[in-house]
Amino acid sequence: MALLKSNKVIFCLGNISPSLGVLSTRNSSWWGGVQMGPPDPILGVTEAFKRDTNPKKMNLGVGAYRDDQGKPFVLSCVRKAESLIAAKQLDKEYLAIGGLGEFTKACAQLALGADSEVLKSGRSITVQTISGTGSLRIGGNFLARFHAGPHDVYLPKPSWGNHTPIFRDAGMQLKAYRYYDPSTCGFDFNGALGDISKIPEKSVILLHACAHNPTGVDPRPEQWKEIAQVVKKRNLLPFFDMAYQGFASGDIDRDAWAVRYFIEQGHNIVLSQSFAKNMGLYGERVGGFTVVCSDAEEAKRVESQIKILIRPIYSNPPVNGARIASTILNTPELYSVWLKEVDSMAKRIITMREQLVEGLKKHGSSHNWQHVIDQIGMFCFTGLKPEQVERLTKEFSVYMTKDGRISMAGVTSGNVGYLAEAIHAVTK
Amino acid sequence: MSVFGEVPQAPPVAVFKLTADFREDSHPQKVNLGVGAYRTDDCQPWVLPVVKKVERLIVEDGSLNHEYLPILGLPEFRSAASKVALGDDNAAIQEGRVGAVQCLGGTGALRIGADFLRRWYNGVNNTATPVYVSAPTWENHNGVFTDAGFKEIRPYHYWDAAKRGLDLAGLLDDLEKAPEHSVFVLHACAHNPTGTDPTQEEWKTIAEIMKRRKLFAFFDSAYQGFASGDLDKDAWAIRFFVSEGFELFIAQSFSKNFGLYNERVGNLTVVAKDGESLTRTLSQMEKIVRTTWSNPPSQGARVVSRTLNSPELFAEWKGNVKTMADRVLLMRSQLRSKLEALGTPGTWDHITQQIGMFSFTGLNPKQVEYLIKEKHVYLMASGRINMCGLTTKNIDYIAQSIHEAVTKVQ
């Protein structure tokens, strides 16, 4: 239909201006049938924010940490690690397909704990990946090729927007289990258990290890225990996505508790890790993908197949970020600095949550905002409706995604008051 | 019962296994002529002086952070990289119909291009479109297009083992017989693994047939500058095709010519008929990138971008590239003379006629095995050697070893 219309246009324009006859060559392009891809909803928010001239504007869209001045934060342990690395004058030879060994070892240790039986027995394999996305994609590809069970990945409702297309492009099908309860802005524990208990055996269930994205709603430890039980009963393969270890509570062991608990309970999990947020290494693309196997021999076979998957995508991973992360994880002084810095990032966010609720109360809001404090991590599912979100953007230049999600990282002591005022205005 | 209980052990990737075996070998005269990475005359990896300089600038630049790059990559990198391939004053660039996607190395660029073609080329989701790769070719070409979803990867005649040169007649015949709209993966220069490139006249004939038969040109450009030492000369084929009006992809790698192997710096240059098609194409590539790696790594792109966008640094880089290319040319000429001086049976002019990092020696698998096992000279089973592994210190040993292999093993 569109092609017919454009032909007519060409015909008319051709009469007006002969040079526009060049438009007709568009039909001979290989890409005539390529549709315009929809703009990325999250990045679209940032684009609109950039165009806004209101001095009070706030960008609560993208999930990248900002300091209390609203600036990107380069961790001091990262800067230190970079100087140490620069001084070594290392070469630029290709890494192995599975990445930098000292990084993957430390990456696994960080997630599983140094005293993990899994690590001691060598029955897991960890490869370096292109941050969390790359890890999920490799995982999805691996499952699509080798998973003996149904090729269905069950995502919590809602989940990170990119999970669905990643797994789909990897060749898996997507299904969902209840997770977020909009009436409480909290965890729909009974709904989740109910749905999970009906998932067909050997399906894959994706679990956010901590700081659920986009809701910020995490199960409590007792709830995790029950989930683990049902997952075991249904014989499901748990796929953990851990993008915020350390960033959620400020404590890396606490944030990895669910992952470690599942393993202790005998689940052989697969795990994606990202160092984008907790080390602020966003653009360096640092991540890991781990498969916990029955034994070391199986782990070797699995590793060999993961390499076969990686090679035709990007051959081998980028070194820079992995070297930085490895230096931090493997240098005791830097490691302790990192623990402090990640804790301070987490604590700043927790403080902003508290200040936002205080501010709303001060303005006399009659709503219950407890969920803002109960939720954890970078994101907060405010409970705001699309119309309210639109008003926030149009009238107050506060930018966020339509689902009411705000990135707490974009909130500072300087603008939290304004935010409280704005939210109160659209909800009173 | 493990869900992965049935996962079979995969064979190791040959070229990396070769290096692993080499590492374990304790023989004092061992030589690695396997993996395609540049080595100095001391057989050491070489971080280009211009790269060292730029990396220092980056470390000292307090204004830089580690924020996400855009999905399509660092804009200054993408445009500068495309200019290197097509030339600063290229008409297609000026017409606004050239765009690019920063990718993870040449491999990543090939993969994004392949994924796009599988979704959007020749009817939508057309996995039946044949993809032709040269016989032989870089072994990963097969994997890239297969994993992207193409069902038919076919060889096109290329290497003539008997005459140790290009099988032009076979190549042209394959072009004539390929179904319309087939995809052809072309090596822009310094063919891997044979080191044998078509002449300009031969490229013209190839282009003529491809245009007439509506075949899609997907260039793999991993050695620009590295082949002849001259960036423009090495890009002649690509630029010719663009000037002939082809829409095409160029998978560019900066692994070799910048020595940035492990930073994974690549660029998928897209030349479309018009700006509008380009825009739509890039928007779809963005979607593909988003589910593959979200956005690319910044370090390597920053290094290349700073270098290419500064006249001084660009000139310095060209000098570094020529240094590498010249050393390879010297080793070629010396190896040939030594083999001829030894009276090694056969003709050896292909060593100097071939171009780039690799040489297809013509040694057969038995001779290769002899070289590895008896002489501790490691090379690919195909007889491919990496010229960069030769130095003034080991070239006599290598020439002597080849001589032995050819005379003792048939």
Side-chain angles (χ1 to χ4, degrees):
Chain A
M1 237 358 240
L3 209 54
L4 243 93
K5 270 204 202 136
S6 61
N7 278 337
K8 285 199 184 134
V9 169
I10 290 163
F11 179 79
C12 296
L13 288 173
N15 291 337
I16 301 166
S17 169
S19 66
L20 286 174
V22 77
L23 279 173
S24 65
T25 62
R26 179 198 145 151
N27 296 341
S28 67
S29 166
W30 287 127
W31 319 126
V34 175
Q35 291 153 29
M36 186 68 193
D40 186 291
I42 295 170
L43 297 177
V45 168
T46 298
E47 296 302 305
F49 167 82
K50 282 189 186 139
R51 289 191 294 265
D52 192 323
T53 52
N54 184 342
K56 287 198 165 153
K57 66 181 180 176
M58 290 177 70
N59 185 359
L60 303 181
V62 184
Y65 181 80
R66 294 287 176 265
D67 63 18
D68 202 47
Q69 270 69 54
K71 296 269 175 291
F73 175 51
V74 178
L75 279 65
S76 74
C77 62
V78 167
R79 286 208 198 281
K80 278 238 170 65
E82 286 176 302
S83 321
L84 286 174
I85 291 164
K88 286 193 182 147
Q89 298 280 292
L90 299 163
D91 65 38
K92 300 224 166 268
E93 295 300 286
Y94 288 123
L95 286 180
I97 300 176
L100 187 65
E102 36 193 82
F103 166 73
T104 53
K105 199 155 173 256
C107 173
Q109 215 163 279
L110 179 69
L112 272 43
D115 53 353
S116 162
E117 160 273 321
V118 166
L119 295 178
K120 290 200 178 100
S121 66
R123 65 183 182 93
S124 68
I125 170 59
T126 300
V127 294
Q128 179 188 339
T129 57
I130 316 300
S131 206
T133 299
S135 177
L136 289 161
R137 180 56 181 272
I138 293 301
N141 278 128
F142 179 74
L143 293 173
R145 200 171 271 190
F146 293 106
H147 183 55
H151 283 194
D152 292 319
V153 176
Y154 283 76
L155 299 179
K157 231 187 305 193
S159 194
W160 181 45
N162 208 16
H163 276 145
T164 294
I166 288 172
F167 284 109
R168 187 169 290 146
D169 282 359
M172 302 293 282
Q173 268 98 258
L174 279 311
K175 297 217 157 70
Y177 58 93
R178 274 173 289 171
Y179 190 85
Y180 179 71
D181 184 347
S183 66
T184 60
C185 292
F187 184 37
D188 181 1
F189 181 50
N190 290 324
L193 280 188
D195 282 354
I196 295 173
S197 64
K198 296 199 187 76
I199 295 178
E201 291 212 358
K202 294 201 180 155
S203 303
V204 181
I205 178 167
L206 185 119
L207 302 156
H208 295 226
C210 62
H212 181 271
N213 179 1
T215 69
V217 170
D218 286 349
R220 289 192 303 274
E222 321 86 73
Q223 294 172 323
W224 272 123
K225 287 180 177 171
E226 288 205 47
I227 293 169
Q229 235 175 11
V230 181
V231 167
K232 185 171 261 189
K233 207 145 154 235
R234 299 302 305 151
N235 195 13
L236 307 176
L237 174 58
F239 193 143
F240 272 99
D241 183 354
M242 185 154 69
Y244 299 99
Q245 187 184 5
F247 204 96
S249 69
D251 181 325
I252 51 131
D253 294 310
R254 197 161 144 199
D255 289 349
W257 184 85
V259 169
R260 296 174 188 181
Y261 179 76
F262 267 65
I263 291 176
E264 275 162 36
Q265 296 305 304
H267 296 269
N268 283 353
I269 67 165
V270 301
L271 166 69
S272 284
Q273 289 168 264
S274 166
F275 289 85
K277 283 85 174 172
N278 61 11
M279 282 193 181
L281 290 174
Y282 308 92
E284 303 294 339
R285 321 309 293 126
V286 195
F289 176 65
T290 296
V291 182
V292 177
C293 304
S294 317
D295 52 57
E297 192 266 331
E298 181 178 287
K300 280 263 157 285
R301 282 185 282 115
V302 167
E303 180 186 19
S304 71
Q305 294 295 350
I306 292 176
K307 286 181 183 172
I308 299 283
L309 274 168
I310 290 175
R311 171 83 167 145
I313 306 178
Y314 54 85
S315 275
N316 41 75
V319 75
N320 197 51
R323 272 200 184 133
I324 295 171
S326 169
T327 303
I328 292 170
L329 294 172
N330 290 310
T331 311
E333 314 91 73
L334 290 185
Y335 184 69
S336 49
V337 170
W338 175 57
L339 290 179
K340 290 202 185 80
E341 292 191 290
V342 80
D343 182 50
S344 71
M345 287 194 285
K347 293 285 156 50
R348 191 183 90 68
I349 291 192
I350 291 171
T351 306
M352 288 302 101
R353 289 178 179 278
E354 288 162 0
Q355 287 190 5
L356 177 57
V357 173
E358 242 180 74
L360 286 161
K361 286 192 178 135
K362 237 193 249 165
H363 280 284
S365 178
S366 56
H367 297 286
N368 179 357
W369 296 102
Q370 185 57 31
H371 57 281
V372 173
I373 293 177
D374 289 344
Q375 288 167 9
I376 193 166
M378 200 177 283
F379 301 112
C380 169
F381 239 36
T382 54
L384 290 169
K385 304 192 185 57
E387 321 84 71
Q388 294 166 325
V389 171
E390 207 182 330
R391 282 190 64 197
L392 269 180
T393 304
K394 289 219 161 73
E395 295 170 36
F396 295 92
S397 296
V398 172
Y399 291 81
M400 51 201 282
T401 45
K402 276 204 296 276
D403 53 9
R405 182 193 89 160
I406 59 176
S407 168
M408 292 307 300
V411 183
T412 68
S413 51
N415 63 25
V416 66
Y418 177 69
L419 180 61
E421 183 192 318
I423 292 179
H424 176 61
V426 307
T427 56
K428 62 183 176 186
Chain B
M1 213 25 252
S2 164
V3 281
F4 305 127
E6 304 300 308
V7 173
Q9 174 76 28
V13 177
V15 68
F16 299 133
K17 169 95 182 19
L18 192 73
T19 295
D21 291 344
F22 168 80
R23 284 212 185 102
E24 287 198 25
D25 189 334
S26 53
H27 194 270
Q29 280 177 303
K30 66 176 182 177
V31 182
N32 187 358
L33 302 180
V35 178
Y38 179 78
R39 293 284 176 270
T40 63
D41 198 55
D42 292 311
C43 224
Q44 293 302 308
W46 193 48
V47 178
L48 275 57
V50 73
V51 168
K52 281 192 182 166
K53 188 183 278 186
V54 174
E55 287 198 312
R56 241 190 330 266
L57 290 174
I58 289 173
V59 165
E60 287 160 11
D61 188 341
S63 74
L64 292 176
N65 55 41
H66 293 289
E67 294 296 290
Y68 289 125
L69 284 181
I71 297 174
L72 294 180
L74 187 65
E76 318 82 271
F77 164 78
R78 294 155 56 205
S79 53
S82 294
K83 285 206 171 111
V84 165
L86 300 177
D88 273 342
D89 51 358
N90 186 277
I93 293 179
Q94 270 146 24
E95 288 159 21
R97 55 191 187 87
V98 173
V101 181
Q102 178 191 337
C103 295
L104 271 78
T107 304
L110 285 163
R111 182 54 181 266
I112 298 302
D115 277 330
F116 175 85
L117 291 174
R118 193 261 297 162
R119 283 168 174 73
W120 295 104
Y121 174 69
N122 198 19
V124 168
N125 272 328
N126 194 339
T127 58
T129 305
V131 175
Y132 285 80
V133 299
S134 63
T137 193
W138 181 48
E139 116 284 340
N140 206 16
H141 279 149
N142 270 284
V144 168
F145 284 90
T146 301
D147 281 13
F150 285 97
K151 303 277 182 252
E152 280 262 358
I153 320 288
R154 298 177 183 175
Y156 61 85
H157 286 87
Y158 196 83
W159 172 249
D160 184 335
K163 70 174 219 212
R164 288 191 192 164
L166 180 67
D167 177 4
L168 183 68
L171 203 181
L172 298 182
D173 191 53
D174 285 336
L175 290 172
E176 292 286 5
K177 295 208 169 85
E180 287 200 346
H181 308 308
S182 298
V183 174
F184 271 74
V185 180
L186 306 166
H187 298 229
C189 67
H191 183 270
N192 177 2
T194 70
T196 300
D197 291 342
T199 62
Q200 289 184 3
E201 284 313 302
E202 289 166 347
W203 273 122
K204 285 180 179 170
T205 311
I206 292 167
E208 184 273 315
I209 302 174
M210 288 186 72
K211 191 187 271 194
R212 183 171 26 90
R213 307 230 54 262
K214 301 187 177 62
L215 306 172
F216 184 79
F218 196 148
F219 277 98
D220 183 348
S221 178
Y223 301 99
Q224 189 185 0
F226 206 98
S228 69
D230 180 327
L231 291 170
D232 298 313
K233 197 163 161 201
D234 289 348
W236 187 87
I238 290 173
R239 295 175 189 185
F240 177 74
F241 270 67
V242 172
S243 71
E244 287 291 299
F246 280 83
E247 285 185 300
L248 48 78
F249 288 170
I250 309 165
Q252 300 170 262
S253 167
F254 292 93
S255 291
K256 283 83 173 174
N257 59 15
F258 258 89
L260 285 172
Y261 308 93
N262 65 13
E263 301 286 4
R264 316 312 294 126
V265 198
N267 196 47
L268 176 68
T269 289
V270 177
V271 180
K273 275 262 153 66
D274 54 68
E276 214 253 314
S277 300
L278 177 71
T279 303
R280 281 179 286 109
T281 296
L282 290 177
S283 78
Q284 291 297 345
M285 286 182 172
E286 226 180 64
K287 283 183 70 180
I288 293 168
V289 168
R290 181 71 167 141
T291 63
T292 312
W293 54 63
S294 261
N295 43 77
S298 63
Q299 179 70 5
R302 276 177 175 165
V303 171
V304 174
S305 174
R306 280 213 183 194
T307 306
L308 297 181
N309 285 308
S310 146
E312 261 172 50
L313 295 171
F314 187 72
E316 191 177 339
W317 172 58
K318 286 201 283 191
N320 289 171
V321 172
K322 190 156 189 312
T323 298
M324 292 190 286
D326 284 348
R327 196 180 94 65
V328 169
L329 287 169
L330 180 66
M331 290 299 100
R332 284 185 179 279
S333 128
Q334 286 193 358
L335 179 62
R336 175 182 166 179
S337 344
K338 285 183 196 292
L339 289 171
E340 285 172 350
L342 284 168
T344 309
T347 54
W348 299 101
D349 35 348
H350 57 284
I351 302 279
T352 49
Q353 275 160 13
Q354 287 164 5
I355 194 167
M357 203 180 271
F358 302 113
S359 174
F360 235 36
T361 54
L363 294 164
N364 65 41
K366 285 216 193 80
Q367 292 164 334
V368 168
E369 201 184 336
Y370 176 87
L371 278 169
I372 297 175
K373 291 218 158 71
E374 306 303 323
K375 310 302 294 183
H376 307 273
V377 173
Y378 289 75
L379 67 161
M380 302 299 292
S382 60
R384 182 191 92 167
I385 60 174
N386 177 4
M387 297 305 301
C388 302
L390 276 75
T391 70
T392 52
K393 289 129 189 134
N394 67 20
I395 194 163
D396 284 311
Y397 178 71
I398 292 168
Q400 183 60 43
S401 302
I402 291 176
H403 180 80
E404 272 183 45
V406 172
T407 49
K408 287 187 180 167
V409 183
Q410 260 71 60

